Amino acid sequence: AGDYARSAEQHLLGPFDKIIIDVQAFEELRAREIQIDASGRFALPWVGAVQAAGLSIAELGELLVQRLRAAHLRNPQVAVNLGEASSRMIT
């Protein structure tokens, strides 16, 4: 279990990965599952287009917090989780 948790933290997002974004106290962004497109981007209300490819889960979470603060949300609580890692195939 520990190895899996470390692996998820170190995973760099890529095209077609699915992520789950949850912003507390903001109904439009509660437990929202999003698939990153072929160019490594996705879009969210209040945040706009986000280049996610190459970022870790933690880096993406911090970027979303910064963007939401810029949109005048005070103290946004953002959780980002990896739903499905499609950009890396291991056989």
Side-chain angles (χ1 to χ4, degrees), residues 6-71:
R6 248 182 268 115
S7 174
E9 288 174 8
Q10 296 170 352
H11 176 75
L12 296 181
L13 296 168
F16 308 113
D17 282 351
K18 289 183 183 175
I19 54 176
I20 301 166
I21 297 174
D22 193 13
V23 180
Q24 296 295 318
F26 195 44
E27 195 60 39
E28 287 182 59
L29 297 177
R30 296 285 316 233
R32 189 173 189 140
E33 185 176 78
I34 297 168
Q35 184 170 20
I36 298 170
D37 69 15
S39 67
R41 300 173 63 121
F42 68 91
L44 281 177
W46 292 84
V47 175
V50 177
Q51 181 66 38
L55 297 178
S56 69
I57 297 293
E59 291 170 332
L60 178 59
E62 183 57 36
L63 177 63
L64 294 175
V65 166
Q66 291 172 5
R67 293 266 187 102
L68 288 168
R69 280 187 185 139

